[in-house]
Amino acid sequence: MSRDFLLSNVRPNGGPSTMVLVKDGRFAPVDAAPNINSLDVVDGGNALMLPGLVEAHTHLDKTLYGMGWYRNEVGPRLIDKIDNERAMKKELGIDPARQSARQAVLSVGHGTTHIRSHVDVDTDIGLAGIEGVMATREKYRDIVDIEIVAFPQSGVLVRPGTVELMEEALRMGAEVVGGLDPSGIDRDPKGHLDIVFGLAERFARPIDIHLHEAGELGAFALELTVERTKALGMQGKVTLSHAFCLGMQDHLAVGALIDGLREAGIHIMTTGPSSRPAPPVKRLLEAGVVVCSGNDGIRDTWGPYGNGDMLERATFVGQRNNFRRDDELQLALDVCTHGGASVMALQDYGLKPGCSADFVLVDAETVAEAVAAHPPRKLVVKKGRVTARDGRALVAMP
Amino acid sequence: MSRDFLLSNVRPNGGPSTMVLVKDGRFAPVDAAPNINSLDVVDGGNALMLPGLVEAHTHLDKTLYGMGWYRNEVGPRLIDKIDNERAMKKELGIDPARQSARQAVLSVGHGTTHIRSHVDVDTDIGLAGIEGVMATREKYRDIVDIEIVAFPQSGVLVRPGTVELMEEALRMGAEVVGGLDPSGIDRDPKGHLDIVFGLAERFARPIDIHLHEAGELGAFALELTVERTKALGMQGKVTLSHAFCLGMQDHLAVGALIDGLREAGIHIMTTGPSSRPAPPVKRLLEAGVVVCSGNDGIRDTWGPYGNGDMLERATFVGQRNNFRRDDELQLALDVCTHGGASVMALQDYGLKPGCSADFVLVDAETVAEAVAAHPPRKLVVKKGRVTARDGRALVAMP
């Protein structure tokens, strides 16, 4: 149960030091406290106060965190990684419930209050991933909100039976329809996207598609996505994750793609990848496109990196986009907070009165310093409850 | 004064657990201990043991670390940053001695045992930067080795009097001749490089040139550097830092440049920059080119990022080069250890008997995990003396 309290001496978004009232798990105007002298006071120690961090793209079901070091000897192609992963799920015994719980707790320690997780659905693992992450979502519902994307990692058309599993995942409780490289994996961009959009229409759900395809191939898939989004009136409900094609050299072509995204109200998720072409974050924001970010896979069979820290991710987004100025670092933070909140359509997100009291305290002088240095989170609060201190969640990791 | 001791239960380079003898500040065969039972034993706790980290490219003289947050509102061009920095040195009072000491201590806390620092020499600041870093080098000589590059950050030909200052810096104790974007700043690639190589020849010193120039312009400067290196017989003594031109799209052209580097024995320094074209580390290593790395500027007027951690830098080099496999992450570490040692021509570097006892202990299962997770350094030892524990140097930061 949450208790009401006053948080003194904090600097919301780097502004002047002030006092904040948390009442019934939400922010409230300080003069709304009926009996201010009877309230507990928590001293914020002049810390910077940020809204809860939003992890808008990860894979909770398949991190290897806590399972001992996985020696990666996987081949270089995308299909090598997909095939290896399906095999390793059996060989290593990657339990989606346990692993998603570990990563969720890790993320909470870093100040994440909301997670959108893609969860594999395929004819090998079936719905075990969805079930596992749903169990974690329920178990940790008081410390983090989790949204589930039913994600056909191994393709749809190339694996008959996958559509039916996707349907079942959506009935069970996955909120979002996933998709993946419509040319690269299913070898049929029209066919793949028609299925994805068809599921979204029938179940009245948003869409989030992994689009690794770069250059002109990715641009074509992006155009097909724009067409379908407009035709179905799904503006504001479709996200393209990665969208490396937006990092292509031809700036005029990228401009045309961005125009399409804006008209269709399609959101972009970027991790700020250092080894791939990347969407130009500032240009997208200036065009009015919503941009969010995520850590993607954390220490899994795909790669060894990652720790679940969305403030470090803001650093990466900043570095990738050559952000150096303070106003630019603010953009990198926005992507990792409000951008993700928009994509997840969170209704009560932010530091304003009435919003859910989800926030992070950081010892930093300015927002720019918080992004550049990403020091350990001093305090993390979810719905008015303390969930982490000094970089560690208060609940134990399973 | 160093004392002799046995380090038990450590895993050098991720190998099996073993015992290591430190004698007179150097590694020695365990059976070389005359009276093994009388020696102190330090329990390594099964930690991974790595050689001291080598920071092969930074700017000790101008970090703003510890000076309060600097609000960056600088313009986008290279010359904006150079001009702003010269002005800020006066306005902010950036003391090269104090600031280089702060960064050196920070780096020691992260396990760096050797630093190559470029130090600004120009007609405004004169030799004050060189003097400041020389004072730091002397003061901290027992905890870190510092090599100084006399660096004409503001150009040579465009600022008459700079050559004479460079000469004086080399007489005072700077070991290396620096250079900078021979077309971009001095507007005269032949003239600039003739001066740099001329100084190197007269003073019999190595060279380290900042080459940000990308694409064909950078490739031309690289070719000019190859020609001069061969003509003067300077193989093994020239480093090109950044060398973004090696990240150009034309793979055949890059191959020709790499052939030139190999023939001239020129080394490459890369930070693994996420927003710029980057030298292909694996391809360079396979061609036999020595590659080192560095953190470049840490929290200065150029940009807000950086913390002096060369193990995190290995992560960045790995991510930038899309290294995922364990054998690839080993390469990223090698660049940040032995690669830097080769570039700095360290004679007694490494974990073998006879080498200087400069090493780092990390709680990680494998080298790949150390690179991917870069956990705080458990113990740092320089010349047989403990210099840092749990991520912090034992000496206080000024």
Side-chain angles (χ1 to χ4, degrees):
Chain A
M1 302 290 282
S2 167
R3 62 184 172 81
D4 300 345
F5 63 95
L6 276 169
L7 182 65
S8 70
N9 196 17
V10 289
R11 293 176 294 115
N13 299 317
S17 177
T18 187
M19 187 172 275
V20 171
L21 173 62
V22 174
K23 192 167 180 294
D24 301 326
R26 292 181 179 272
F27 295 116
V30 171
D31 56 17
N35 195 347
I36 199 163
N37 293 325
S38 70
L39 281 173
D40 286 339
V41 177
V42 176
D43 180 9
N46 200 35
L48 187 71
M49 182 182 191
L50 304 175
L53 301 171
V54 181
E55 165 71 87
H57 185 111
T58 190
H59 296 266
L60 288 176
D61 52 322
K62 46 193 192 183
T63 180
L64 301 174
Y65 196 87
M67 289 179 65
W69 189 252
Y70 170 69
R71 178 174 293 275
N72 186 319
E73 296 174 322
V74 186
R77 298 168 307 163
L78 184 61
I79 197 69
D80 294 332
K81 295 172 179 70
I82 293 174
D83 289 347
N84 174 69
E85 180 177 62
R86 263 202 330 281
M88 284 302 126
K89 277 182 182 165
K90 292 174 189 163
E91 192 175 322
L92 299 175
I94 307 175
D95 175 356
R98 182 193 61 209
Q99 292 310 112
S100 60
R102 285 178 177 167
Q103 186 178 323
V105 170
L106 187 69
S107 296
V108 166
H110 293 307
T112 290
T113 53
H114 299 82
I115 298 174
R116 170 178 280 191
S117 177
H118 297 254
V119 179
D120 286 5
V121 173
D122 67 51
T123 51
D124 275 17
I125 197 166
L127 298 164
I130 300 282
E131 289 162 0
V133 178
M134 284 182 68
T136 289
R137 163 158 75 183
E138 183 58 25
K139 185 170 177 191
Y140 296 96
R141 58 183 296 168
D142 290 336
I143 66 169
V144 62
D145 288 320
I146 297 174
E147 184 183 55
I148 295 173
V149 184
F151 176 47
Q153 170 79 77
S154 297
V156 180
L157 292 163
V158 292
R159 299 200 145 239
T162 304
V163 173
E164 292 73 13
L165 289 165
M166 294 277 287
E167 291 172 340
E168 186 56 24
L170 294 168
R171 280 188 214 104
M172 284 165 61
E175 289 94 345
V176 184
V177 181
L180 171 74
D181 290 334
S183 300
I185 303 298
D186 271 350
R187 326 301 290 172
D188 177 359
K190 176 188 184 301
H192 181 88
L193 290 171
D194 283 349
I195 289 172
V196 168
F197 276 85
L199 284 168
E201 188 180 23
R202 275 196 288 134
F203 286 83
R205 302 296 176 84
I207 287 172
D208 193 333
I209 298 172
H210 279 66
L211 185 59
H212 304 97
E213 291 161 6
E216 283 71 10
L217 184 62
F220 175 56
L222 189 150
E223 290 168 358
L224 294 180
T225 304
V226 166
E227 290 161 12
R228 282 160 179 72
T229 303
K230 286 183 182 173
L232 293 176
M234 283 189 68
Q235 286 86 346
K237 300 201 168 152
V238 176
T239 302
L240 286 173
S241 284
H242 302 302
F244 298 143
C245 61
L246 291 171
M248 60 199 275
Q249 296 276 320
D250 184 338
H251 282 214
L252 289 176
V254 169
L257 296 176
I258 292 176
D259 289 343
L261 293 174
R262 183 186 49 229
E263 288 164 17
I266 294 175
H267 313 315
I268 294 296
M269 190 299 299
T270 180
T271 62
S274 75
S275 66
R276 299 304 309 270
V281 169
K282 200 170 180 179
R283 189 173 177 191
L284 285 162
L285 293 174
E286 284 170 352
V289 175
V290 173
V291 180
C292 65
S293 186
N295 283 303
D296 203 0
I298 292 176
R299 213 184 271 205
D300 57 22
T301 64
W302 291 65
Y305 305 107
N307 57 17
D309 185 351
M310 284 303 300
L311 200 50
E312 181 184 88
R313 182 58 54 185
T315 308
F316 294 163
V317 169
Q319 288 177 324
R320 180 64 180 87
N321 287 275
N322 200 16
F323 289 172
R324 294 163 181 254
R325 296 165 52 102
D326 281 46
D327 52 7
E328 293 171 332
L329 271 66
Q330 176 72 57
L331 297 181
L333 179 70
D334 291 345
V335 161
C336 297
T337 53
H338 292 279
S342 292
V343 167
M344 290 177 67
L346 304 178
Q347 296 305 311
D348 53 359
Y349 180 85
L351 297 182
K352 295 198 179 122
C355 292
S356 180
D358 302 343
F359 65 89
V360 178
L361 298 189
V362 188
D363 274 326
E365 200 176 319
T366 64
V367 166
E369 182 177 3
V371 171
H374 50 84
R377 302 323 98 80
K378 193 172 167 178
L379 193 78
V380 182
V381 170
K382 174 75 178 172
K383 296 175 193 165
R385 252 174 288 235
V386 175
T387 57
R389 283 186 200 278
D390 301 322
R392 290 188 169 273
L394 299 188
V395 302
M397 193 173 288
Chain B
M1 303 290 283
S2 168
R3 61 185 173 80
D4 298 347
F5 63 95
L6 276 169
L7 182 65
S8 70
N9 195 17
V10 290
R11 294 176 293 113
N13 299 317
S17 178
T18 186
M19 187 173 277
V20 172
L21 173 62
V22 174
K23 193 167 177 292
D24 301 326
R26 294 181 178 271
F27 295 116
V30 172
D31 56 16
N35 195 347
I36 199 162
N37 293 324
S38 70
L39 282 173
D40 285 339
V41 178
V42 176
D43 179 11
N46 199 36
L48 187 69
M49 182 182 189
L50 304 174
L53 301 171
V54 181
E55 165 71 85
H57 184 113
T58 190
H59 296 267
L60 288 177
D61 52 322
K62 45 195 193 181
T63 179
L64 301 175
Y65 196 87
M67 288 179 65
W69 188 252
Y70 170 70
R71 177 174 294 275
N72 186 319
E73 295 174 323
V74 186
R77 298 169 306 164
L78 184 60
I79 196 69
D80 295 332
K81 297 173 178 68
I82 293 174
D83 289 347
N84 174 68
E85 181 177 59
R86 259 201 334 278
M88 284 302 127
K89 276 182 182 167
K90 293 175 189 163
E91 191 175 324
L92 299 175
I94 306 174
D95 175 357
R98 181 192 63 209
Q99 292 310 112
S100 59
R102 284 179 178 166
Q103 186 178 324
V105 171
L106 187 70
S107 295
V108 166
H110 294 307
T112 291
T113 54
H114 299 81
I115 298 174
R116 169 179 280 191
S117 178
H118 298 252
V119 180
D120 287 4
V121 173
D122 68 50
T123 51
D124 274 17
I125 197 166
L127 298 165
I130 300 283
E131 288 162 2
V133 179
M134 284 182 67
T136 289
R137 163 159 75 184
E138 183 58 26
K139 185 170 177 190
Y140 296 96
R141 59 184 296 168
D142 289 337
I143 67 170
V144 62
D145 287 320
I146 297 174
E147 184 183 54
I148 295 174
V149 184
F151 176 46
Q153 169 79 76
S154 296
V156 179
L157 292 164
V158 292
R159 297 199 147 241
T162 303
V163 173
E164 292 73 15
L165 289 166
M166 294 277 287
E167 291 172 340
E168 186 56 26
L170 294 167
R171 280 188 213 106
M172 283 165 61
E175 289 93 346
V176 184
V177 180
L180 172 75
D181 290 335
S183 300
I185 304 297
D186 271 350
R187 327 300 291 171
D188 178 359
K190 175 188 183 301
H192 181 89
L193 291 171
D194 282 349
I195 290 173
V196 168
F197 275 86
L199 284 169
E201 190 181 21
R202 274 196 287 134
F203 286 82
R205 302 297 176 82
I207 287 173
D208 193 332
I209 298 172
H210 278 67
L211 185 59
H212 304 98
E213 292 162 4
E216 283 71 9
L217 183 62
F220 175 57
L222 189 150
E223 289 168 359
L224 294 180
T225 304
V226 166
E227 290 162 12
R228 283 161 179 72
T229 303
K230 285 183 181 173
L232 293 177
M234 284 190 66
Q235 287 86 348
K237 300 199 169 153
V238 176
T239 302
L240 286 173
S241 284
H242 302 303
F244 298 144
C245 60
L246 291 171
M248 61 199 275
Q249 296 276 319
D250 184 339
H251 281 215
L252 289 176
V254 170
L257 296 177
I258 292 177
D259 288 343
L261 294 173
R262 183 187 49 231
E263 288 164 19
I266 294 175
H267 314 314
I268 295 296
M269 190 300 300
T270 180
T271 63
S274 75
S275 67
R276 299 305 308 270
V281 169
K282 201 171 181 179
R283 189 174 177 192
L284 284 162
L285 293 174
E286 284 170 352
V289 175
V290 173
V291 181
C292 65
S293 186
N295 283 304
D296 203 0
I298 291 175
R299 212 184 272 204
D300 57 22
T301 64
W302 292 66
Y305 305 107
N307 57 16
D309 185 350
M310 284 303 300
L311 200 50
E312 181 185 87
R313 181 58 53 185
T315 309
F316 293 163
V317 169
Q319 288 177 325
R320 181 63 181 88
N321 288 276
N322 201 17
F323 289 171
R324 294 162 181 255
R325 296 164 52 102
D326 282 46
D327 50 8
E328 294 171 331
L329 271 66
Q330 176 72 57
L331 298 181
L333 179 70
D334 291 346
V335 161
C336 297
T337 53
H338 292 279
S342 292
V343 166
M344 290 176 68
L346 305 178
Q347 295 307 311
D348 52 0
Y349 180 83
L351 298 182
K352 294 196 180 124
C355 293
S356 179
D358 302 342
F359 65 88
V360 178
L361 298 189
V362 188
D363 273 326
E365 200 175 320
T366 65
V367 166
E369 182 178 3
V371 171
H374 50 83
R377 301 324 95 81
K378 193 173 165 176
L379 194 78
V380 182
V381 170
K382 173 75 178 171
K383 297 176 192 162
R385 253 175 286 237
V386 175
T387 57
R389 284 185 200 279
D390 302 321
R392 290 188 168 271
L394 299 189
V395 302
M397 193 173 288

